[in-house]
mmCIF file of all heavy atoms in Angstrom:
data_model
loop_
_atom_site.group_PDB
_atom_site.id
_atom_site.type_symbol
_atom_site.label_atom_id
_atom_site.label_comp_id
_atom_site.label_asym_id
_atom_site.label_seq_id
_atom_site.Cartn_x
_atom_site.Cartn_y
_atom_site.Cartn_z
ATOM 1 N N ASP A 611 -3.473 10.703 1.046
ATOM 2 C CA ASP A 611 -2.868 11.953 1.491
ATOM 3 C C ASP A 611 -3.254 12.233 2.944
ATOM 4 O O ASP A 611 -3.837 11.387 3.621
ATOM 5 C CB ASP A 611 -3.280 13.106 0.575
ATOM 6 C CG ASP A 611 -4.792 13.282 0.488
ATOM 7 O OD1 ASP A 611 -5.531 12.695 1.317
ATOM 8 O OD2 ASP A 611 -5.251 14.016 -0.411
ATOM 9 N N PHE A 612 -2.922 13.423 3.415
ATOM 10 C CA PHE A 612 -3.187 13.784 4.807
ATOM 11 C C PHE A 612 -4.656 13.638 5.172
ATOM 12 O O PHE A 612 -4.993 13.153 6.256
ATOM 13 C CB PHE A 612 -2.709 15.213 5.101
ATOM 14 C CG PHE A 612 -3.020 15.645 6.504
ATOM 15 C CD1 PHE A 612 -2.228 15.224 7.568
ATOM 16 C CD2 PHE A 612 -4.117 16.449 6.764
ATOM 17 C CE1 PHE A 612 -2.529 15.601 8.866
ATOM 18 C CE2 PHE A 612 -4.427 16.831 8.058
ATOM 19 C CZ PHE A 612 -3.624 16.405 9.116
ATOM 20 N N SER A 613 -5.556 14.059 4.289
ATOM 21 C CA SER A 613 -6.986 13.998 4.624
ATOM 22 C C SER A 613 -7.452 12.550 4.774
ATOM 23 O O SER A 613 -8.231 12.241 5.681
ATOM 24 C CB SER A 613 -7.826 14.751 3.593
ATOM 25 O OG SER A 613 -7.725 14.143 2.321
ATOM 26 N N VAL A 614 -6.984 11.652 3.929
ATOM 27 C CA VAL A 614 -7.332 10.236 4.058
ATOM 28 C C VAL A 614 -6.719 9.679 5.338
ATOM 29 O O VAL A 614 -7.381 8.975 6.106
ATOM 30 C CB VAL A 614 -6.876 9.424 2.824
ATOM 31 C CG1 VAL A 614 -7.005 7.932 3.070
ATOM 32 C CG2 VAL A 614 -7.660 9.838 1.589
ATOM 33 N N ALA A 615 -5.449 9.994 5.579
ATOM 34 C CA ALA A 615 -4.772 9.500 6.779
ATOM 35 C C ALA A 615 -5.519 9.942 8.035
ATOM 36 O O ALA A 615 -5.737 9.143 8.956
ATOM 37 C CB ALA A 615 -3.330 9.994 6.815
ATOM 38 N N HIS A 616 -5.941 11.184 8.076
ATOM 39 C CA HIS A 616 -6.675 11.701 9.230
ATOM 40 C C HIS A 616 -7.999 10.956 9.423
ATOM 41 O O HIS A 616 -8.387 10.640 10.542
ATOM 42 C CB HIS A 616 -6.917 13.205 9.055
ATOM 43 C CG HIS A 616 -7.643 13.833 10.187
ATOM 44 N ND1 HIS A 616 -7.068 14.031 11.422
ATOM 45 C CD2 HIS A 616 -8.921 14.285 10.274
ATOM 46 C CE1 HIS A 616 -7.957 14.587 12.224
ATOM 47 N NE2 HIS A 616 -9.085 14.751 11.554
ATOM 48 N N ALA A 617 -8.673 10.650 8.325
ATOM 49 C CA ALA A 617 -9.984 10.001 8.392
ATOM 50 C C ALA A 617 -9.919 8.536 8.827
ATOM 51 O O ALA A 617 -10.845 8.040 9.454
ATOM 52 C CB ALA A 617 -10.675 10.106 7.035
ATOM 53 N N VAL A 618 -8.815 7.837 8.502
ATOM 54 C CA VAL A 618 -8.771 6.385 8.756
ATOM 55 C C VAL A 618 -7.773 5.958 9.820
ATOM 56 O O VAL A 618 -7.732 4.782 10.188
ATOM 57 C CB VAL A 618 -8.487 5.599 7.449
ATOM 58 C CG1 VAL A 618 -9.537 5.880 6.395
ATOM 59 C CG2 VAL A 618 -7.091 5.876 6.927
ATOM 60 N N LYS A 619 -6.979 6.864 10.328
ATOM 61 C CA LYS A 619 -5.874 6.507 11.226
ATOM 62 C C LYS A 619 -6.319 5.684 12.438
ATOM 63 O O LYS A 619 -5.740 4.645 12.742
ATOM 64 C CB LYS A 619 -5.151 7.770 11.679
ATOM 65 C CG LYS A 619 -3.991 7.506 12.600
ATOM 66 C CD LYS A 619 -3.317 8.796 13.025
ATOM 67 C CE LYS A 619 -2.251 8.523 14.038
ATOM 68 N NZ LYS A 619 -1.624 9.748 14.502
ATOM 69 N N GLU A 620 -7.336 6.124 13.141
ATOM 70 C CA GLU A 620 -7.765 5.403 14.339
ATOM 71 C C GLU A 620 -8.290 4.007 14.001
ATOM 72 O O GLU A 620 -8.008 3.041 14.707
ATOM 73 C CB GLU A 620 -8.819 6.212 15.090
ATOM 74 C CG GLU A 620 -8.235 7.414 15.797
ATOM 75 C CD GLU A 620 -9.272 8.183 16.585
ATOM 76 O OE1 GLU A 620 -10.241 7.561 17.070
ATOM 77 O OE2 GLU A 620 -9.111 9.407 16.708
ATOM 78 N N ARG A 621 -9.053 3.896 12.932
ATOM 79 C CA ARG A 621 -9.603 2.603 12.527
ATOM 80 C C ARG A 621 -8.482 1.637 12.155
ATOM 81 O O ARG A 621 -8.509 0.467 12.518
ATOM 82 C CB ARG A 621 -10.554 2.807 11.341
ATOM 83 C CG ARG A 621 -11.276 1.564 10.896
ATOM 84 C CD ARG A 621 -12.384 1.885 9.900
ATOM 85 N NE ARG A 621 -11.954 2.707 8.792
ATOM 86 C CZ ARG A 621 -11.684 2.231 7.577
ATOM 87 N NH1 ARG A 621 -11.768 0.960 7.320
ATOM 88 N NH2 ARG A 621 -11.308 3.047 6.613
ATOM 89 N N LEU A 622 -7.457 2.120 11.464
ATOM 90 C CA LEU A 622 -6.330 1.266 11.088
ATOM 91 C C LEU A 622 -5.474 0.912 12.296
ATOM 92 O O LEU A 622 -5.009 -0.222 12.426
ATOM 93 C CB LEU A 622 -5.470 1.954 10.023
ATOM 94 C CG LEU A 622 -6.140 2.189 8.674
ATOM 95 C CD1 LEU A 622 -5.170 2.894 7.736
ATOM 96 C CD2 LEU A 622 -6.646 0.911 8.068
ATOM 97 N N ALA A 623 -5.261 1.863 13.182
ATOM 98 C CA ALA A 623 -4.441 1.607 14.372
ATOM 99 C C ALA A 623 -5.021 0.471 15.207
ATOM 100 O O ALA A 623 -4.278 -0.312 15.804
ATOM 101 C CB ALA A 623 -4.308 2.877 15.210
ATOM 102 N N ALA A 624 -6.327 0.342 15.215
ATOM 103 C CA ALA A 624 -6.974 -0.718 15.985
ATOM 104 C C ALA A 624 -6.710 -2.104 15.397
ATOM 105 O O ALA A 624 -6.911 -3.102 16.073
ATOM 106 C CB ALA A 624 -8.474 -0.458 16.054
ATOM 107 N N THR A 625 -6.236 -2.181 14.156
ATOM 108 C CA THR A 625 -6.017 -3.477 13.507
ATOM 109 C C THR A 625 -4.559 -3.916 13.544
ATOM 110 O O THR A 625 -4.251 -5.039 13.146
ATOM 111 C CB THR A 625 -6.459 -3.438 12.033
ATOM 112 O OG1 THR A 625 -5.550 -2.627 11.276
ATOM 113 C CG2 THR A 625 -7.869 -2.927 11.884
ATOM 114 N N ILE A 626 -3.651 -3.066 13.995
ATOM 115 C CA ILE A 626 -2.226 -3.354 13.874
ATOM 116 C C ILE A 626 -1.785 -4.564 14.685
ATOM 117 O O ILE A 626 -0.862 -5.247 14.306
ATOM 118 C CB ILE A 626 -1.389 -2.099 14.218
ATOM 119 C CG1 ILE A 626 -1.565 -1.090 13.098
ATOM 120 C CG2 ILE A 626 0.073 -2.430 14.412
ATOM 121 C CD1 ILE A 626 -0.868 0.214 13.313
ATOM 122 N N GLY A 627 -2.449 -4.898 15.755
ATOM 123 C CA GLY A 627 -2.056 -6.046 16.566
ATOM 124 C C GLY A 627 -2.238 -7.383 15.869
ATOM 125 O O GLY A 627 -1.710 -8.392 16.302
ATOM 126 N N HIS A 628 -2.977 -7.414 14.786
ATOM 127 C CA HIS A 628 -3.220 -8.662 14.060
ATOM 128 C C HIS A 628 -2.032 -8.973 13.154
ATOM 129 O O HIS A 628 -1.579 -8.130 12.412
ATOM 130 C CB HIS A 628 -4.494 -8.552 13.220
ATOM 131 C CG HIS A 628 -5.703 -8.276 14.039
ATOM 132 N ND1 HIS A 628 -6.386 -9.250 14.699
ATOM 133 C CD2 HIS A 628 -6.339 -7.125 14.340
ATOM 134 C CE1 HIS A 628 -7.405 -8.718 15.348
ATOM 135 N NE2 HIS A 628 -7.387 -7.417 15.144
ATOM 136 N N ARG A 629 -1.504 -10.163 13.228
ATOM 137 C CA ARG A 629 -0.360 -10.581 12.410
ATOM 138 C C ARG A 629 -0.729 -11.782 11.582
ATOM 139 O O ARG A 629 -1.544 -12.568 12.012
ATOM 140 C CB ARG A 629 0.835 -10.930 13.302
ATOM 141 C CG ARG A 629 1.301 -9.825 14.221
ATOM 142 C CD ARG A 629 1.990 -8.721 13.431
ATOM 143 N NE ARG A 629 2.657 -7.785 14.310
ATOM 144 C CZ ARG A 629 2.141 -6.619 14.674
ATOM 145 N NH1 ARG A 629 0.958 -6.270 14.267
ATOM 146 N NH2 ARG A 629 2.820 -5.815 15.455
ATOM 147 N N PRO A 630 -0.151 -12.027 10.433
ATOM 148 C CA PRO A 630 0.736 -11.116 9.698
ATOM 149 C C PRO A 630 -0.066 -9.947 9.126
ATOM 150 O O PRO A 630 -1.265 -10.036 8.947
ATOM 151 C CB PRO A 630 1.296 -11.991 8.595
ATOM 152 C CG PRO A 630 0.265 -13.027 8.366
ATOM 153 C CD PRO A 630 -0.379 -13.264 9.708
ATOM 154 N N TRP A 631 0.634 -8.876 8.831
ATOM 155 C CA TRP A 631 0.000 -7.642 8.392
ATOM 156 C C TRP A 631 0.544 -7.269 7.021
ATOM 157 O O TRP A 631 1.745 -7.103 6.843
ATOM 158 C CB TRP A 631 0.307 -6.578 9.426
ATOM 159 C CG TRP A 631 -0.117 -5.190 9.129
ATOM 160 C CD1 TRP A 631 -1.250 -4.782 8.500
ATOM 161 C CD2 TRP A 631 0.595 -4.019 9.475
ATOM 162 N NE1 TRP A 631 -1.305 -3.429 8.449
ATOM 163 C CE2 TRP A 631 -0.178 -2.931 9.043
ATOM 164 C CE3 TRP A 631 1.786 -3.772 10.125
ATOM 165 C CZ2 TRP A 631 0.222 -1.616 9.229
ATOM 166 C CZ3 TRP A 631 2.179 -2.466 10.303
ATOM 167 C CH2 TRP A 631 1.400 -1.399 9.865
ATOM 168 N N THR A 632 -0.347 -7.181 6.033
ATOM 169 C CA THR A 632 0.064 -6.821 4.678
ATOM 170 C C THR A 632 -0.724 -5.607 4.204
ATOM 171 O O THR A 632 -1.860 -5.382 4.645
ATOM 172 C CB THR A 632 -0.150 -7.980 3.679
ATOM 173 O OG1 THR A 632 -1.531 -8.333 3.656
ATOM 174 C CG2 THR A 632 0.677 -9.189 4.043
ATOM 175 N N ILE A 633 -0.097 -4.857 3.311
ATOM 176 C CA ILE A 633 -0.740 -3.685 2.733
ATOM 177 C C ILE A 633 -0.595 -3.774 1.217
ATOM 178 O O ILE A 633 0.520 -3.768 0.691
ATOM 179 C CB ILE A 633 -0.101 -2.372 3.235
ATOM 180 C CG1 ILE A 633 -0.101 -2.315 4.764
ATOM 181 C CG2 ILE A 633 -0.839 -1.172 2.641
ATOM 182 C CD1 ILE A 633 0.703 -1.155 5.335
ATOM 183 N N ASP A 634 -1.718 -3.868 0.520
ATOM 184 C CA ASP A 634 -1.722 -3.883 -0.944
ATOM 185 C C ASP A 634 -1.769 -2.439 -1.414
ATOM 186 O O ASP A 634 -2.705 -1.700 -1.109
ATOM 187 C CB ASP A 634 -2.936 -4.654 -1.453
ATOM 188 C CG ASP A 634 -2.962 -4.803 -2.965
ATOM 189 O OD1 ASP A 634 -2.347 -3.974 -3.675
ATOM 190 O OD2 ASP A 634 -3.606 -5.741 -3.434
ATOM 191 N N LEU A 635 -0.745 -2.038 -2.155
ATOM 192 C CA LEU A 635 -0.631 -0.656 -2.629
ATOM 193 C C LEU A 635 -0.859 -0.535 -4.138
ATOM 194 O O LEU A 635 -0.648 0.534 -4.711
ATOM 195 C CB LEU A 635 0.756 -0.103 -2.268
ATOM 196 C CG LEU A 635 1.060 -0.031 -0.770
ATOM 197 C CD1 LEU A 635 2.539 0.251 -0.539
ATOM 198 C CD2 LEU A 635 0.200 1.016 -0.097
ATOM 199 N N SER A 636 -1.293 -1.588 -4.781
ATOM 200 C CA SER A 636 -1.382 -1.609 -6.243
ATOM 201 C C SER A 636 -2.328 -0.564 -6.816
ATOM 202 O O SER A 636 -2.160 -0.149 -7.960
ATOM 203 C CB SER A 636 -1.795 -2.997 -6.734
ATOM 204 O OG SER A 636 -3.081 -3.349 -6.252
ATOM 205 N N ARG A 637 -3.305 -0.111 -6.059
ATOM 206 C CA ARG A 637 -4.289 0.852 -6.561
ATOM 207 C C ARG A 637 -4.021 2.276 -6.080
ATOM 208 O O ARG A 637 -4.851 3.161 -6.269
ATOM 209 C CB ARG A 637 -5.686 0.401 -6.152
ATOM 210 C CG ARG A 637 -6.070 -0.922 -6.808
ATOM 211 C CD ARG A 637 -7.371 -1.510 -6.307
ATOM 212 N NE ARG A 637 -8.431 -0.542 -6.172
ATOM 213 C CZ ARG A 637 -9.466 -0.689 -5.360
ATOM 214 N NH1 ARG A 637 -9.575 -1.755 -4.608
ATOM 215 N NH2 ARG A 637 -10.402 0.246 -5.280
ATOM 216 N N VAL A 638 -2.850 2.514 -5.477
ATOM 217 C CA VAL A 638 -2.508 3.851 -4.992
ATOM 218 C C VAL A 638 -1.989 4.689 -6.158
ATOM 219 O O VAL A 638 -1.025 4.322 -6.817
ATOM 220 C CB VAL A 638 -1.458 3.777 -3.864
ATOM 221 C CG1 VAL A 638 -0.960 5.173 -3.486
ATOM 222 C CG2 VAL A 638 -2.035 3.061 -2.652
ATOM 223 N N THR A 639 -2.638 5.828 -6.397
ATOM 224 C CA THR A 639 -2.226 6.715 -7.487
ATOM 225 C C THR A 639 -1.350 7.866 -7.006
ATOM 226 O O THR A 639 -0.648 8.484 -7.793
ATOM 227 C CB THR A 639 -3.462 7.294 -8.201
ATOM 228 O OG1 THR A 639 -4.275 7.985 -7.247
ATOM 229 C CG2 THR A 639 -4.274 6.182 -8.864
ATOM 230 N N PHE A 640 -1.410 8.151 -5.700
ATOM 231 C CA PHE A 640 -0.621 9.234 -5.112
ATOM 232 C C PHE A 640 -0.472 8.931 -3.624
ATOM 233 O O PHE A 640 -1.404 8.413 -2.999
ATOM 234 C CB PHE A 640 -1.321 10.591 -5.295
ATOM 235 C CG PHE A 640 -0.678 11.713 -4.528
ATOM 236 C CD1 PHE A 640 0.433 12.367 -5.035
ATOM 237 C CD2 PHE A 640 -1.171 12.101 -3.291
ATOM 238 C CE1 PHE A 640 1.037 13.400 -4.315
ATOM 239 C CE2 PHE A 640 -0.584 13.122 -2.571
ATOM 240 C CZ PHE A 640 0.520 13.774 -3.085
ATOM 241 N N MET A 641 0.692 9.276 -3.065
ATOM 242 C CA MET A 641 0.868 9.154 -1.616
ATOM 243 C C MET A 641 1.783 10.270 -1.146
ATOM 244 O O MET A 641 2.822 10.532 -1.753
ATOM 245 C CB MET A 641 1.475 7.795 -1.245
ATOM 246 C CG MET A 641 1.621 7.598 0.268
ATOM 247 S SD MET A 641 2.261 5.977 0.739
ATOM 248 C CE MET A 641 0.800 4.981 0.512
ATOM 249 N N ASP A 642 1.373 10.933 -0.053
ATOM 250 C CA ASP A 642 2.222 11.950 0.555
ATOM 251 C C ASP A 642 2.647 11.464 1.938
ATOM 252 O O ASP A 642 2.473 10.286 2.280
ATOM 253 C CB ASP A 642 1.517 13.314 0.595
ATOM 254 C CG ASP A 642 0.328 13.381 1.535
ATOM 255 O OD1 ASP A 642 0.057 12.395 2.280
ATOM 256 O OD2 ASP A 642 -0.357 14.427 1.550
ATOM 257 N N SER A 643 3.179 12.359 2.752
ATOM 258 C CA SER A 643 3.675 11.954 4.066
ATOM 259 C C SER A 643 2.571 11.414 4.971
ATOM 260 O O SER A 643 2.824 10.583 5.839
ATOM 261 C CB SER A 643 4.394 13.124 4.744
ATOM 262 O OG SER A 643 3.500 14.213 4.922
ATOM 263 N N GLY A 644 1.336 11.850 4.765
ATOM 264 C CA GLY A 644 0.224 11.300 5.536
ATOM 265 C C GLY A 644 0.024 9.820 5.247
ATOM 266 O O GLY A 644 -0.188 9.009 6.147
ATOM 267 N N GLY A 645 0.107 9.447 3.972
ATOM 268 C CA GLY A 645 0.003 8.042 3.595
ATOM 269 C C GLY A 645 1.194 7.245 4.084
ATOM 270 O O GLY A 645 1.054 6.104 4.538
ATOM 271 N N LEU A 646 2.366 7.843 4.015
ATOM 272 C CA LEU A 646 3.573 7.183 4.521
ATOM 273 C C LEU A 646 3.421 6.901 6.017
ATOM 274 O O LEU A 646 3.791 5.828 6.486
ATOM 275 C CB LEU A 646 4.797 8.062 4.266
ATOM 276 C CG LEU A 646 6.138 7.518 4.710
ATOM 277 C CD1 LEU A 646 6.478 6.243 3.960
ATOM 278 C CD2 LEU A 646 7.226 8.565 4.495
ATOM 279 N N HIS A 647 2.838 7.836 6.743
ATOM 280 C CA HIS A 647 2.594 7.632 8.175
ATOM 281 C C HIS A 647 1.707 6.407 8.408
ATOM 282 O O HIS A 647 1.974 5.605 9.307
ATOM 283 C CB HIS A 647 1.966 8.873 8.794
ATOM 284 C CG HIS A 647 1.568 8.680 10.213
ATOM 285 N ND1 HIS A 647 2.482 8.638 11.240
ATOM 286 C CD2 HIS A 647 0.347 8.478 10.772
ATOM 287 C CE1 HIS A 647 1.838 8.427 12.375
ATOM 288 N NE2 HIS A 647 0.550 8.325 12.120
ATOM 289 N N LEU A 648 0.665 6.230 7.591
ATOM 290 C CA LEU A 648 -0.206 5.064 7.743
ATOM 291 C C LEU A 648 0.568 3.764 7.527
ATOM 292 O O LEU A 648 0.415 2.803 8.278
ATOM 293 C CB LEU A 648 -1.373 5.125 6.763
ATOM 294 C CG LEU A 648 -2.401 6.227 6.963
ATOM 295 C CD1 LEU A 648 -3.455 6.161 5.869
ATOM 296 C CD2 LEU A 648 -3.032 6.149 8.341
ATOM 297 N N VAL A 649 1.390 3.750 6.490
ATOM 298 C CA VAL A 649 2.166 2.547 6.173
ATOM 299 C C VAL A 649 3.123 2.211 7.315
ATOM 300 O O VAL A 649 3.312 1.047 7.660
ATOM 301 C CB VAL A 649 2.941 2.729 4.849
ATOM 302 C CG1 VAL A 649 3.946 1.615 4.628
ATOM 303 C CG2 VAL A 649 1.968 2.812 3.674
ATOM 304 N N LEU A 650 3.698 3.226 7.938
ATOM 305 C CA LEU A 650 4.740 3.004 8.942
ATOM 306 C C LEU A 650 4.246 3.004 10.380
ATOM 307 O O LEU A 650 5.025 2.685 11.279
ATOM 308 C CB LEU A 650 5.822 4.076 8.795
ATOM 309 C CG LEU A 650 6.542 4.111 7.451
ATOM 310 C CD1 LEU A 650 7.520 5.279 7.420
ATOM 311 C CD2 LEU A 650 7.235 2.795 7.166
ATOM 312 N N MET A 651 2.984 3.295 10.638
ATOM 313 C CA MET A 651 2.562 3.497 12.021
ATOM 314 C C MET A 651 2.679 2.253 12.894
ATOM 315 O O MET A 651 2.805 2.379 14.109
ATOM 316 C CB MET A 651 1.168 4.098 12.106
ATOM 317 C CG MET A 651 0.046 3.248 11.705
ATOM 318 S SD MET A 651 -1.451 4.274 11.863
ATOM 319 C CE MET A 651 -2.654 3.079 11.376
ATOM 320 N N GLY A 652 2.711 1.082 12.355
ATOM 321 C CA GLY A 652 2.868 -0.115 13.172
ATOM 322 C C GLY A 652 4.295 -0.543 13.391
ATOM 323 O O GLY A 652 4.565 -1.461 14.171
ATOM 324 N N THR A 653 5.247 0.108 12.745
ATOM 325 C CA THR A 653 6.639 -0.309 12.860
ATOM 326 C C THR A 653 7.221 -0.016 14.238
ATOM 327 O O THR A 653 8.185 -0.628 14.626
ATOM 328 C CB THR A 653 7.525 0.361 11.793
ATOM 329 O OG1 THR A 653 7.438 1.766 11.933
ATOM 330 C CG2 THR A 653 7.103 -0.055 10.398
ATOM 331 N N ARG A 654 6.609 0.854 14.988
ATOM 332 C CA ARG A 654 7.139 1.171 16.321
ATOM 333 C C ARG A 654 7.028 -0.005 17.278
ATOM 334 O O ARG A 654 7.656 -0.041 18.301
ATOM 335 C CB ARG A 654 6.475 2.412 16.889
ATOM 336 C CG ARG A 654 5.010 2.228 17.209
ATOM 337 C CD ARG A 654 4.416 3.524 17.731
ATOM 338 N NE ARG A 654 2.985 3.460 17.799
ATOM 339 C CZ ARG A 654 2.153 3.760 16.802
ATOM 340 N NH1 ARG A 654 2.631 4.157 15.644
ATOM 341 N NH2 ARG A 654 0.854 3.677 16.959
ATOM 342 N N THR A 655 6.234 -1.008 16.932
ATOM 343 C CA THR A 655 6.107 -2.188 17.777
ATOM 344 C C THR A 655 7.132 -3.251 17.391
ATOM 345 O O THR A 655 7.081 -4.354 17.894
ATOM 346 C CB THR A 655 4.690 -2.786 17.676
ATOM 347 O OG1 THR A 655 4.459 -3.195 16.323
ATOM 348 C CG2 THR A 655 3.634 -1.797 18.120
ATOM 349 N N GLY A 656 8.045 -2.905 16.493
ATOM 350 C CA GLY A 656 9.079 -3.849 16.083
ATOM 351 C C GLY A 656 8.658 -4.755 14.950
ATOM 352 O O GLY A 656 9.340 -5.726 14.639
ATOM 353 N N TYR A 657 7.565 -4.461 14.292
ATOM 354 C CA TYR A 657 7.084 -5.283 13.194
ATOM 355 C C TYR A 657 7.174 -4.507 11.891
ATOM 356 O O TYR A 657 6.861 -3.320 11.857
ATOM 357 C CB TYR A 657 5.631 -5.714 13.445
ATOM 358 C CG TYR A 657 5.108 -6.618 12.371
ATOM 359 C CD1 TYR A 657 5.446 -7.962 12.356
ATOM 360 C CD2 TYR A 657 4.311 -6.124 11.356
ATOM 361 C CE1 TYR A 657 4.989 -8.798 11.364
ATOM 362 C CE2 TYR A 657 3.850 -6.946 10.355
ATOM 363 C CZ TYR A 657 4.186 -8.285 10.366
ATOM 364 O OH TYR A 657 3.745 -9.100 9.366
ATOM 365 N N ARG A 658 7.612 -5.184 10.844
ATOM 366 C CA ARG A 658 7.681 -4.564 9.519
ATOM 367 C C ARG A 658 6.475 -4.987 8.690
ATOM 368 O O ARG A 658 6.299 -6.174 8.443
ATOM 369 C CB ARG A 658 8.962 -4.999 8.805
ATOM 370 C CG ARG A 658 10.205 -4.488 9.450
ATOM 371 C CD ARG A 658 11.481 -4.961 8.817
ATOM 372 N NE ARG A 658 11.341 -5.894 7.720
ATOM 373 C CZ ARG A 658 12.238 -6.083 6.775
ATOM 374 N NH1 ARG A 658 13.351 -5.412 6.791
ATOM 375 N NH2 ARG A 658 12.061 -6.959 5.825
#
Side-chain angles (χ1 to χ4, degrees):
D611 57 13
F612 177 79
S613 64
V614 170
H616 181 71
V618 302
K619 180 180 175 182
E620 287 182 30
R621 185 169 51 101
L622 295 179
T625 71
I626 289 177
H628 300 278
R629 303 288 191 261
W631 174 37
T632 60
I633 305 171
D634 184 336
L635 298 168
S636 62
R637 295 173 44 204
V638 172
T639 57
F640 171 82
M641 182 177 283
D642 68 5
S643 61
L646 181 63
H647 174 75
L648 293 178
V649 169
L650 299 176
M651 70 182 181
T653 59
R654 67 182 169 272
T655 62
Y657 183 79
R658 293 177 357 156

